Amino acid sequence: PPERWFCLPSCRRYVAGGQCKSTVRLEGKVAIITGANTGIGKETARDLARRGKSAAVIVACRDLEKAEAAASEIRAETGNQQVIVKKLDLADTKSIREFAEKFLAEEKELHILINNAGVMLCPYSKTADGFEMHLGVNHLGHFLLTFLLLECLKQSAPARIVNVSSLAHHGGRIRFHDLHGEKSYNRGLAYCHSKLANVLFTRELARRLQGNCPELFAFAVGTKVTANSLHPGSVHSELVRHSFVMTWLWKIFSFFLKTPQEGAQTSVYCAVAEELDSVTGQYFSDCQPAYVSPRGRDDETAKKLWNVSCELLGIQWD
């Protein structure tokens, strides 16, 4: 019926969700985006590159060939020649340390760190350091990267850390007795657990950056470095490539999924929006504050996860 076709544009606008309306320029700023060779990471890099031809956008990826193809496309489209590819394998702490060392040797400032890369629904496997793959890449890899770059962020302040989590954090638990899934493993739940870890990491990081002042938790008054997490939405991307069933469903229901460009909007919003200059420790979806699960608001679990993460990575982060 004609009325059904009339509803389709409205339905599509609803699926697309919120848009970042900020026109902030990033001339002279430096941003790092992990996993920016495809999906929402690539679209986030494209958006930031458009915001100033002197804005340095570091595309940090494991697959250099795909990353260079993406960066070349973005450079040609935006005219920004400062879209730079750097090798980063979040499943290998040696690669993370090498990336950070080279970055700090070449760049004096860092204003935006977007921890975007991730894996989803992987068959059971471990990283180079023996961590379960979801936990190792989605949480521990970004935890270590942030630790190594934090002083540079502080010295460049105001600066922002953006952690891409997911609505899936509602289904997660931090299973301290079996963090690496050696006793029992479910690939869907492993993803949920890692996304909850992203939310808890963001919460504890924000608290520490603000001088351990709970009453000032929502506002950046300490280091002028903010940390926020987000849900990008259900996005038609390569993230489900490890699951035949999910890949099939994603194709069938693609009309009801966000495009990568639509999915990148909340990442961009958290990275540039003026109204978030002093907002920290929060969780966003569709460019607005969103509900966090009770487990995602558990400060004791957040502190314990922080300490356990430091132990696993062999670092001291006080």
Side-chain angles (χ1 to χ4, degrees), residues 91-109:
D92 186 345
T93 58
K94 181 181 177 182
S95 174
I96 298 169
R97 290 181 180 278
E98 289 176 351
F99 169 86
E101 184 179 346
K102 291 179 181 178
F103 173 83
L104 295 172
E106 295 169 3
E107 300 286 346
K108 295 180 180 179
E109 294 184 305

Side-chain angles (χ1 to χ4, degrees), residues 143-144 146-147 150 201 205 208 306 310 315-318:
F143 188 97
L144 178 60
T146 305
F147 167 75
L150 190 58
F201 168 47
L205 176 60
R208 289 169 178 257
W306 183 283
C310 287
I315 60 176
Q316 287 189 321
W317 191 354
D318 298 322

Side-chain angles (χ1 to χ4, degrees), residues 2 21 43 49 74 81 97 119 122 135 151 182 185 203 214 220 236 267 289 302:
K21 298 178 181 179
E43 295 306 319
I74 294 171
Q81 300 305 306
R97 290 181 180 278
V119 294
C122 297
L135 181 77
E151 284 307 311
E182 294 169 326
Y185 180 75
R203 187 175 182 88
H236 196 286
S267 294

Side-chain angles (χ1 to χ4, degrees), residues 207-208 210-218 221:
R207 186 184 70 82
R208 289 169 178 257
Q210 304 324 311
N212 297 320
C213 299
E215 68 274 13
L216 301 173
F217 178 58
V221 297

Side-chain angles (χ1 to χ4, degrees), residues 64-82:
L64 291 181
E65 186 176 345
K66 286 185 178 180
E68 189 50 56
S72 180
E73 176 188 319
I74 294 171
R75 286 193 291 263
E77 180 183 318
T78 64
N80 183 338
Q81 300 305 306
Q82 300 302 309

Side-chain angles (χ1 to χ4, degrees), residues 18-230:
Q19 286 192 324
C20 177
K21 298 178 181 179
S22 171
T23 58
V24 163
R25 303 292 292 171
L26 296 177
E27 300 288 359
K29 302 296 185 181
V30 180
I32 292 174
I33 308 170
T34 66
N37 63 327
T38 187
I40 66 173
K42 179 181 175 182
E43 295 306 319
T44 302
R46 192 193 310 273
D47 187 289
L48 298 192
R50 285 198 191 104
R51 294 175 181 268
K53 291 186 178 181
S54 66
V57 180
I58 312 298
V59 176
C61 300
R62 177 175 55 86
D63 189 325
L64 291 181
E65 186 176 345
K66 286 185 178 180
E68 189 50 56
S72 180
E73 176 188 319
I74 294 171
R75 286 193 291 263
E77 180 183 318
T78 64
N80 183 338
Q81 300 305 306
Q82 300 302 309
V83 181
I84 305 162
V85 173
K86 298 288 184 184
K87 172 78 172 180
L88 173 64
D89 184 354
L90 288 161
D92 186 345
T93 58
K94 181 181 177 182
S95 174
I96 298 169
R97 290 181 180 278
E98 289 176 351
F99 169 86
E101 184 179 346
K102 291 179 181 178
F103 173 83
L104 295 172
E106 295 169 3
E107 300 286 346
K108 295 180 180 179
E109 294 184 305
L110 176 59
H111 305 94
I112 300 170
L113 172 60
I114 302 180
N115 290 319
N116 163 83
V119 294
M120 180 180 182
L121 303 176
C122 297
Y124 188 77
S125 58
K126 289 187 176 182
T127 68
D129 302 274
F131 308 140
E132 187 278 315
M133 190 62 69
H134 291 90
L135 181 77
V137 171
N138 297 354
H139 169 60
L140 291 171
H142 284 128
F143 188 97
L144 178 60
L145 180 65
T146 305
F147 167 75
L148 295 171
L149 298 176
L150 190 58
E151 284 307 311
C152 187
L153 284 158
K154 288 180 180 179
Q155 292 167 14
S156 309
R160 301 188 187 191
I161 299 166
V162 179
N163 294 324
V164 179
S165 180
S166 169
L167 183 68
H169 86 270
H170 286 268
R173 291 175 55 208
I174 305 302
R175 303 169 70 247
F176 289 109
H177 67 286
D178 190 24
L179 275 179
H180 303 295
E182 294 169 326
K183 297 178 181 177
S184 65
Y185 180 75
N186 176 290
R187 65 173 76 182
L189 290 177
Y191 177 72
C192 294
H193 301 334
S194 70
K195 294 291 100 178
L196 174 59
N198 293 154
V199 173
L200 292 169
F201 168 47
T202 303
R203 187 175 182 88
E204 180 64 8
L205 176 60
R207 186 184 70 82
R208 289 169 178 257
L209 288 172
Q210 304 324 311
N212 297 320
C213 299
E215 68 274 13
L216 301 173
F217 178 58
F219 302 96
V221 297
T223 60
K224 302 297 183 184
V225 178
T226 63
N228 291 297
S229 61
L230 65 99

